[in-house]
Amino acid sequence: MVLRLRLYSALYPSWGPICLFPRSFASCSGNPASCCTMPQLGLLHGRAWAVLFGQLRRPPGAVCIRAVHSHSQVAEAALATQLKPHQEKSNFIIKTPKGTRDLSPEQMVVREKILDMVVSCFKRHGAKGLDTPAFELKEMLTEKYGEDSGLVYDLKDQGGELLSLRYDLTVPFARYLAMNKVKKMKRYHVGKVWRRESPTIAQGRYREFCQCDFDIAGQFDPMIPDAECLKIMCEILSGLQLGDFLIKVNDRRILDGIFAVCGVPESKFHAICSSVDKLDKMSWKDVRHEMVAKKGLAAEVADRIWDYVQCHGGVSLVQQMFQDPRLSQNKQALEGLGDLKLLFEYLTLFGIAEKISFDLSLARGLDYYTGVIYEAVLLQTPAHAEEEPRNVGSVAAGGRYDGLVGMFDPKGHNVPCVGLSIGVERIFSIVEQRMKTFGEKIRTTETQVFVATPQKNFLQERLKLIAELWDAGIKAELMYKNNPKLLTQLHYCENTGIPLVVIIGEQELKEGVIKLRSVANREEVAITRENLVAEIQKRLSES
Amino acid sequence: MVLRLRLYSALYPSWGPICLFPRSFASCSGNPASCCTMPQLGLLHGRAWAVLFGQLRRPPGAVCIRAVHSHSQVAEAALATQLKPHQEKSNFIIKTPKGTRDLSPEQMVVREKILDMVVSCFKRHGAKGLDTPAFELKEMLTEKYGEDSGLVYDLKDQGGELLSLRYDLTVPFARYLAMNKVKKMKRYHVGKVWRRESPTIAQGRYREFCQCDFDIAGQFDPMIPDAECLKIMCEILSGLQLGDFLIKVNDRRILDGIFAVCGVPESKFHAICSSVDKLDKMSWKDVRHEMVAKKGLAAEVADRIWDYVQCHGGVSLVQQMFQDPRLSQNKQALEGLGDLKLLFEYLTLFGIAEKISFDLSLARGLDYYTGVIYEAVLLQTPAHAEEEPRNVGSVAAGGRYDGLVGMFDPKGHNVPCVGLSIGVERIFSIVEQRMKTFGEKIRTTETQVFVATPQKNFLQERLKLIAELWDAGIKAELMYKNNPKLLTQLHYCENTGIPLVVIIGEQELKEGVIKLRSVANREEVAITRENLVAEIQKRLSES
């Protein structure tokens, strides 16, 4: 039952009508919308509520002021947070949602540099740009992410289509290909993706992050596009100067072949693959324990697996595996090994074979990979002695996924795909850390010229002058003050890295000149008004 | 009641267990989850259902096969859509969500051009970049958008914080300022925003779209930042070559002053302002009718309003309004007029006063504006005679909003702000239309060189060669075929606009040269392997 009583105005005139219905009870019988507009006393302890309520039910003259008063203090405290909704909201802390962050101007400069470098590499390889919406119809994303499906952000059902925020850029790409019946495409896509990661799993793992993807869709002669993906990863990682790196390569069919010949029951393939995937974070001892004790694998089977997954090497390891008595009996594994052999040939021609390691313990998480898989890791020795070694996991990864487009096509027509994703957030934090360690100062604006005056009443001249500079394409600023002090203006230039100042004053106006001052060496020259723009452009192109 | 019967396997072995509960009835008494996994016959017409059901209730020998058969055909058709869940899902259409779209490679090229131009203008004016998350805590966005609050996309409550997708870039900016206690900042922000617009309201209005915002936050001498915002709008609209444009300017205080002196009750200000806002789409006759008949305004008050809001002009109109016997009695209006007078002075010094119109009918939708407001519209005469005149509404808008940051600050400390937003989607559709009208072909890749061969078994040489080009920073592609035909490769270059081809074959290999061919004029020269990169770079820089 809802009771709406007007508190006796003599007691607490500011309260107005309040709803005495405690929040712990079920819904109001009245119109919930109007109910919610009134402050609710429901925050009170049941007992205080009961007493206060009891007093308020009495006829005015019979109210025990003291009883009301004491419990009313509790009520008032509870109400205070609601009486002034825009001030002193005790729960109102200004922050971004968990797992997300703003990017400051300094961070934006670093990000822009990284993204420019990545995109120009993609363009160097002939990729076209593409963009897809931030959210997809929920049904487009279901059954695509295996165990990770619970990490997808859903939108509230507000009466329209059921939507989810995209979890990666690969499934939207497959949806685009199927939707537009595209058979061949080489595209790149830079965009945000969203995942409801548990914050306890991995420190520094964001819920909103940027991905840079490059993918080649289409039926082609084997391993040429796959090799180009690896070449792109090498170019980007070298170009970003992150130090020494390694790209681990494996193949889903080889992994499945290993499991088969070692005696893993087919129903456990997925679970065991998941365990193998943890070898980059956990010791074999712990992984083995997980396989045997938690996933019910026979101990000798686990040990056989270890014989394989501890191996890593170059193309000679591929050859060795071809000769392996057990593995060579498995058709799938032989296919995978054959593709890897061809891949290594191409990587050698590309000049990057020494960066690639055939690593039998590599098992990428996502379900949709069907062939070659790869993952780039930075090698632990930091680029510079003073830096802390950072373990940030992989910085880029990808693989072949031949069955994903077919999941969208009603007739199941496949478009084979291979691609890669650059983990910009991880790279970003490394670069940011490196810049902090070396005290590199980052300019957050690109302003080239500051328009200043030492005198009062020169705003009009400054406005005219700066418009001339802007119209000539020169990046310029001025102080938003009618009468700024010269020293303030010069300090502003020094602090923000603006290289040139144009100074206008009485003298200059009489003589028809502007003073052009270099902030770095403080030298000033007088330039005529007509020559000012040309002189500035000359100086800027020389520096 | 739920009835689960096994259809007689002799009749229809493929059906298995089906739920005969018609969908029109209320919820199952059984476990809804298991119920939903069975195909439901509920799609059947009530009568067919009843007959079929009647037959199925009989003991096996008494079933009338003919009756079952005829009605079963209906049933089978109904079930067919459910028997094979991943194929022939009658409801499974691949599409993007309502109000959203993919951007094709051609569209990406156009968008990139526009955004580059806009951002370089922002940088020319000394703005720093900023980025905020796609979603905010729901409480950050509540009570910020007035009547439009219902258009905000909420995220589903999945057990964590309640979140909403950002509706614009201004409220996140104000949140950032309050959160970081920033008092002065000049920032730009390019990003997507999301609004659950009703598709019936305005054709072509998207639910996901890109905004480019520039804002100046801080307490400064009056109207200088405001004038710079208008200068930026002019630079961008001129630079995009969209034809002639006009920027309408007004002031919230002048509007409120007009309403006050005309006799509008203060409680109706907001509603009447909303009607005035429609004058750009509706005639005064219709707007007047809305004010009088629907919003209960006295007819003579409406007519007085018309005396004002039909006025538009230059700075002389500002002067005229200062002299207006009624308006000059209103303190608010005088403040607004004073600011506009100062604004026009600065705009004249910036050289853009002739693009600006003081328009008393301008009333921007968003609640948070407190002072000057402005809106840029393209003038109806198209830039070229062959083009269709497009009415796309405003292409850029903004204003001063001095109270928004204070809504976030617990102590209500204000940071005055002024800013602008460029409507890139509208500009984008104009530019796209223009390019179609003029048959401009858009290259979707930037590839400069194609590596080709006329002969078989030259893949290895092509791979080696292309890696040399990539390593020298040259944008290059090759066909992903072991043995492609020369003509196919050359056609590919012509179709995609690649200007140069390097051709390697037996002859060239023997002689230690590469053939360099111009796609445009088909001329070929032989270049030594060592000089190839330099020659290509020379040719590319000359073109």
Side-chain angles (χ1 to χ4, degrees):
Chain A
M1 284 187 298
V2 175
L3 299 157
R4 291 183 183 81
L5 303 173
R6 289 198 171 273
L7 275 183
Y8 299 97
S9 54
L11 284 173
Y12 294 99
S14 61
W15 283 17
I18 63 167
C19 171
L20 288 177
F21 198 73
R23 281 206 182 129
S24 53
F25 281 67
S27 58
C28 298
S29 60
N31 179 355
S34 61
C35 187
C36 294
T37 62
M38 297 203 301
Q40 286 179 295
L41 258 186
L43 291 168
L44 286 181
H45 239 294
R47 191 167 135 184
W49 177 86
V51 170
L52 187 59
F53 181 52
Q55 289 298 327
L56 292 169
R57 280 178 76 201
R58 288 178 169 187
V63 169
C64 172
I65 302 289
R66 243 187 341 178
V68 172
H69 187 80
S70 61
H71 289 282
S72 292
Q73 284 179 326
V74 179
E76 187 160 3
L79 282 176
T81 61
Q82 307 187 52
L83 283 169
K84 296 175 187 174
H86 295 295
Q87 298 167 40
E88 299 169 24
K89 265 190 177 168
S90 56
N91 290 333
F92 192 76
I93 297 167
I94 310 173
K95 65 183 200 75
T96 53
K98 184 189 298 187
T100 71
R101 56 184 177 146
D102 298 315
L103 283 191
S104 71
E106 287 79 9
Q107 293 175 314
M108 288 296 285
V109 171
V110 176
R111 163 164 305 217
E112 201 175 306
K113 272 209 190 78
I114 293 171
L115 293 185
D116 280 352
M117 199 275 180
V118 170
V119 169
S120 75
C121 181
F122 291 160
K123 287 181 171 179
R124 186 160 59 245
H125 289 257
K128 309 176 177 197
L130 191 74
D131 200 11
T132 68
F135 42 73
E136 299 271 345
L137 296 178
K138 190 171 167 57
E139 63 229 45
M140 297 291 150
L141 303 186
T142 47
E143 290 169 35
K144 303 295 185 306
Y145 300 111
E147 293 164 356
D148 286 350
S149 294
L151 299 183
V152 172
Y153 273 102
D154 290 329
L155 264 63
K156 183 173 162 184
D157 183 351
Q158 288 171 289
E161 301 161 323
L162 292 183
L163 307 168
S164 300
L165 294 181
R166 64 186 184 206
Y167 185 86
D168 64 0
L169 302 177
T170 311
V171 169
F173 177 49
R175 191 266 307 142
Y176 174 89
L177 293 171
M179 182 169 142
N180 297 285
K181 302 196 189 315
V182 173
K183 295 296 169 199
K184 291 187 196 301
M185 187 179 196
K186 184 162 54 179
R187 81 95 182 79
Y188 75 89
H189 187 179
V190 176
K192 301 253 176 72
V193 300
W194 297 272
R195 302 182 183 186
R196 288 179 59 242
E197 302 271 17
S198 165
T200 55
I201 288 180
Q203 199 184 19
R205 200 169 253 207
Y206 292 102
R207 290 183 158 186
E208 171 187 80
F209 54 97
C210 185
Q211 283 196 325
C212 297
D213 281 25
F214 171 97
D215 293 71
I216 299 170
Q219 183 66 47
F220 301 110
D221 286 344
M223 301 319 280
I224 311 176
D226 313 54
E228 183 162 10
C229 286
L230 287 163
K231 174 70 175 147
I232 286 171
M233 277 168 68
C234 285
E235 284 177 22
I236 289 174
L237 296 178
S238 303
L240 288 169
Q241 295 176 305
L242 301 167
D244 228 356
F245 63 90
L246 181 75
I247 303 182
K248 304 177 188 177
V249 158
N250 198 358
D251 193 295
R252 257 290 156 73
R253 295 161 293 177
I254 294 174
L255 267 172
D256 286 349
I258 289 172
F259 297 153
V261 306
C262 290
V264 177
E266 199 167 337
S267 58
K268 289 199 198 295
F269 270 30
H270 190 87
I272 296 305
C273 193
S274 198
S275 294
V276 170
D277 195 23
K278 298 181 186 178
L279 276 171
D280 57 355
K281 300 181 197 61
M282 285 160 56
S283 67
W284 166 244
K285 184 162 169 267
D286 293 334
V287 169
R288 184 188 187 279
H289 177 83
E290 182 182 277
M291 286 181 178
V292 173
K294 293 189 190 164
K295 299 188 178 178
L297 196 67
E300 57 271 19
V301 173
D303 291 331
R304 274 180 229 138
I305 291 176
W306 178 237
D307 282 342
Y308 289 101
V309 301
Q310 63 176 292
C311 298
H312 52 88
V315 65
S316 52
L317 180 61
V318 181
Q319 203 50 39
Q320 192 183 314
M321 288 296 137
F322 262 124
Q323 322 281 5
D324 182 87
R326 278 193 295 234
L327 210 52
S328 54
Q329 304 300 314
N330 184 281
K331 181 162 174 264
Q332 259 197 319
L334 286 176
E335 274 180 31
L337 288 167
D339 275 353
L340 284 196
K341 180 164 183 267
L342 193 55
L343 180 68
F344 265 100
E345 269 186 51
Y346 297 160
L347 298 177
T348 306
L349 293 162
F350 278 161
I352 59 170
E354 78 278 5
K355 292 267 186 241
I356 317 295
S357 167
F358 173 29
D359 190 325
L360 285 156
S361 72
L362 177 65
R364 297 287 301 161
L366 287 161
D367 263 359
Y368 48 63
Y369 290 122
T370 54
V372 66
I373 48 178
Y374 33 81
E375 185 178 288
V377 291
L378 298 181
L379 296 178
Q380 291 290 17
T381 44
H384 304 271
E386 304 87 355
E387 272 183 69
E388 275 298 300
R390 287 182 67 82
N391 183 9
V392 283
S394 77
V395 284
R400 178 161 282 284
Y401 52 105
D402 288 347
L404 189 58
V405 177
M407 289 180 79
F408 287 98
D409 189 284
K411 295 183 184 140
H413 290 145
N414 256 325
V415 176
C417 297
V418 67
L420 65 103
S421 188
I422 306 291
V424 272
E425 300 295 338
R426 291 184 178 177
I427 290 171
F428 178 77
S429 62
I430 293 169
V431 174
E432 225 191 346
Q433 187 60 43
R434 190 172 69 197
M435 294 178 95
K436 276 196 193 139
T437 306
F438 290 95
E440 280 181 51
K441 185 149 163 60
I442 303 170
R443 270 204 74 184
T444 53
T445 64
E446 299 183 10
T447 309
Q448 300 161 315
V449 179
F450 190 90
V451 176
T453 181
Q455 281 142 10
K456 291 193 173 191
N457 302 316
F458 262 79
L459 175 63
Q460 297 202 349
E461 286 304 322
R462 283 156 56 216
L463 292 176
K464 253 199 292 186
L465 192 43
I466 202 173
E468 283 177 40
L469 302 183
W470 287 333
D471 291 345
I474 296 168
K475 302 173 200 176
E477 289 186 69
L478 89 171
M479 206 136 274
Y480 298 130
K481 274 189 91 56
N482 295 337
N483 300 311
K485 297 209 180 337
L486 185 63
L487 215 55
T488 313
Q489 295 168 87
L490 295 179
H491 282 158
Y492 177 78
C493 294
E494 283 164 12
N495 292 342
T496 58
I498 301 172
L500 296 172
V501 192
V502 299
I503 305 176
I504 182 89
E506 281 294 350
Q507 193 67 17
E508 291 82 9
L509 209 55
K510 273 200 202 119
E511 296 168 15
V513 296
I514 312 283
K515 280 236 204 55
L516 182 58
R517 176 187 172 112
S518 157
V519 176
N521 62 28
R522 303 184 177 189
E523 283 170 12
E524 283 182 10
V525 287
I527 313 281
T528 59
R529 189 73 175 245
E530 305 80 56
N531 292 340
L532 182 64
V533 166
E535 179 64 27
I536 290 173
Q537 285 165 339
K538 178 161 160 279
R539 294 234 198 162
L540 292 171
S541 63
E542 282 166 5
S543 66
Chain B
M1 284 189 300
V2 175
L3 300 156
R4 291 184 184 80
L5 303 174
R6 286 195 174 277
L7 275 181
Y8 298 98
S9 54
L11 282 172
Y12 292 99
S14 62
W15 282 18
I18 63 166
C19 173
L20 288 176
F21 197 73
R23 280 205 180 128
S24 53
F25 281 67
S27 61
C28 297
S29 62
N31 180 355
S34 62
C35 187
C36 294
T37 61
M38 297 202 300
Q40 286 177 295
L41 259 186
L43 290 167
L44 285 181
H45 239 295
R47 189 168 138 183
W49 176 85
V51 170
L52 187 60
F53 182 51
Q55 288 297 325
L56 290 170
R57 281 179 72 201
R58 290 178 167 185
V63 169
C64 170
I65 302 289
R66 245 185 339 174
V68 173
H69 187 78
S70 60
H71 289 283
S72 292
Q73 285 180 326
V74 180
E76 188 159 5
L79 281 177
T81 61
Q82 306 188 50
L83 284 169
K84 296 174 186 175
H86 292 294
Q87 298 168 38
E88 301 166 26
K89 263 188 182 171
S90 55
N91 293 332
F92 191 75
I93 298 165
I94 311 174
K95 65 184 201 75
T96 53
K98 184 189 297 189
T100 71
R101 56 183 177 149
D102 298 317
L103 283 191
S104 71
E106 286 79 10
Q107 293 174 314
M108 288 297 285
V109 171
V110 177
R111 164 164 305 218
E112 202 175 305
K113 272 209 190 82
I114 294 171
L115 293 185
D116 280 351
M117 199 272 179
V118 170
V119 169
S120 75
C121 181
F122 291 161
K123 286 181 170 180
R124 186 161 58 249
H125 289 257
K128 310 178 175 195
L130 192 75
D131 200 11
T132 68
F135 41 73
E136 299 271 345
L137 296 178
K138 190 170 167 57
E139 63 230 45
M140 297 291 150
L141 303 187
T142 46
E143 290 169 34
K144 304 293 185 304
Y145 301 108
E147 294 165 358
D148 287 350
S149 293
L151 299 183
V152 172
Y153 273 103
D154 290 329
L155 265 63
K156 182 173 163 184
D157 183 351
Q158 289 171 288
E161 300 161 325
L162 292 183
L163 308 168
S164 300
L165 294 181
R166 65 188 183 204
Y167 185 85
D168 65 1
L169 301 177
T170 310
V171 169
F173 178 48
R175 191 267 306 143
Y176 174 90
L177 294 171
M179 183 170 140
N180 296 285
K181 301 191 187 322
V182 174
K183 294 297 170 199
K184 288 185 197 306
M185 186 179 195
K186 182 161 58 178
R187 80 94 180 79
Y188 74 89
H189 186 179
V190 176
K192 301 256 176 72
V193 300
W194 297 271
R195 302 184 182 183
R196 285 180 61 241
E197 303 272 14
S198 164
T200 54
I201 287 180
Q203 200 185 18
R205 200 171 254 205
Y206 292 103
R207 289 182 159 187
E208 173 186 80
F209 54 96
C210 185
Q211 283 196 325
C212 297
D213 281 26
F214 171 97
D215 292 71
I216 299 170
Q219 182 66 48
F220 301 109
D221 285 344
M223 302 319 280
I224 312 176
D226 312 55
E228 184 162 9
C229 285
L230 287 162
K231 175 69 174 146
I232 286 171
M233 276 168 70
C234 285
E235 284 177 22
I236 289 175
L237 296 179
S238 304
L240 288 170
Q241 296 175 306
L242 299 167
D244 227 357
F245 63 90
L246 181 75
I247 303 183
K248 302 177 189 176
V249 158
N250 197 359
D251 193 294
R252 257 292 156 71
R253 296 161 292 177
I254 294 174
L255 268 172
D256 286 350
I258 288 171
F259 296 154
V261 306
C262 289
V264 178
E266 201 168 332
S267 58
K268 289 201 198 297
F269 270 28
H270 190 87
I272 296 305
C273 193
S274 200
S275 294
V276 170
D277 194 22
K278 297 179 185 176
L279 277 169
D280 57 356
K281 299 180 197 67
M282 284 160 56
S283 66
W284 167 245
K285 184 164 171 265
D286 293 335
V287 170
R288 183 187 186 282
H289 177 83
E290 183 183 275
M291 287 181 180
V292 173
K294 294 190 189 163
K295 299 190 180 178
L297 195 67
E300 56 270 21
V301 173
D303 291 331
R304 275 180 228 137
I305 292 175
W306 178 238
D307 282 343
Y308 289 102
V309 301
Q310 62 176 294
C311 299
H312 52 87
V315 65
S316 53
L317 179 61
V318 181
Q319 203 50 37
Q320 192 184 311
M321 286 297 137
F322 262 123
Q323 321 283 5
D324 182 88
R326 277 193 297 234
L327 209 52
S328 54
Q329 304 300 314
N330 182 280
K331 182 163 172 262
Q332 259 197 319
L334 285 177
E335 274 180 30
L337 288 167
D339 275 353
L340 283 195
K341 181 163 181 267
L342 192 56
L343 180 68
F344 265 100
E345 269 185 53
Y346 298 160
L347 299 178
T348 307
L349 292 163
F350 278 161
I352 59 171
E354 77 279 4
K355 292 269 186 237
I356 317 293
S357 167
F358 172 30
D359 191 325
L360 285 156
S361 70
L362 177 65
R364 295 288 301 163
L366 286 161
D367 264 359
Y368 49 63
Y369 290 121
T370 54
V372 65
I373 48 179
Y374 35 81
E375 185 178 290
V377 291
L378 298 181
L379 296 179
Q380 293 290 14
T381 44
H384 304 271
E386 304 88 352
E387 271 183 72
E388 276 299 299
R390 286 181 68 80
N391 182 11
V392 285
S394 77
V395 285
R400 177 162 283 285
Y401 52 103
D402 287 348
L404 189 58
V405 177
M407 289 180 81
F408 286 99
D409 188 285
K411 294 184 184 137
H413 290 145
N414 256 325
V415 176
C417 297
V418 66
L420 65 103
S421 190
I422 306 291
V424 273
E425 299 294 338
R426 291 185 178 176
I427 291 172
F428 178 77
S429 63
I430 292 169
V431 173
E432 224 189 349
Q433 186 61 42
R434 190 173 69 197
M435 294 178 95
K436 275 195 192 142
T437 305
F438 290 95
E440 280 181 51
K441 184 149 164 60
I442 304 171
R443 270 202 75 183
T444 53
T445 64
E446 299 183 10
T447 309
Q448 300 161 315
V449 179
F450 190 90
V451 176
T453 181
Q455 281 143 6
K456 291 194 170 188
N457 303 318
F458 261 80
L459 175 64
Q460 297 202 348
E461 285 305 319
R462 283 154 56 217
L463 292 175
K464 252 197 295 186
L465 193 43
I466 202 173
E468 283 177 40
L469 301 182
W470 288 330
D471 291 344
I474 295 167
K475 301 172 200 177
E477 288 185 69
L478 88 171
M479 207 135 273
Y480 298 131
K481 272 190 91 57
N482 294 338
N483 300 311
K485 299 214 181 328
L486 185 64
L487 216 55
T488 313
Q489 296 169 86
L490 295 179
H491 282 157
Y492 177 80
C493 294
E494 283 164 13
N495 293 341
T496 58
I498 301 174
L500 295 173
V501 193
V502 298
I503 305 176
I504 181 91
E506 280 295 351
Q507 193 65 18
E508 292 81 8
L509 210 54
K510 276 200 201 120
E511 295 169 15
V513 297
I514 312 280
K515 279 235 203 58
L516 182 58
R517 175 186 172 113
S518 159
V519 176
N521 63 26
R522 303 184 178 187
E523 284 172 10
E524 284 185 9
V525 287
I527 313 280
T528 60
R529 191 73 176 246
E530 305 81 55
N531 292 341
L532 182 64
V533 166
E535 180 63 25
I536 290 173
Q537 285 167 339
K538 178 161 161 279
R539 293 234 197 161
L540 291 171
S541 63
E542 282 165 1
S543 65

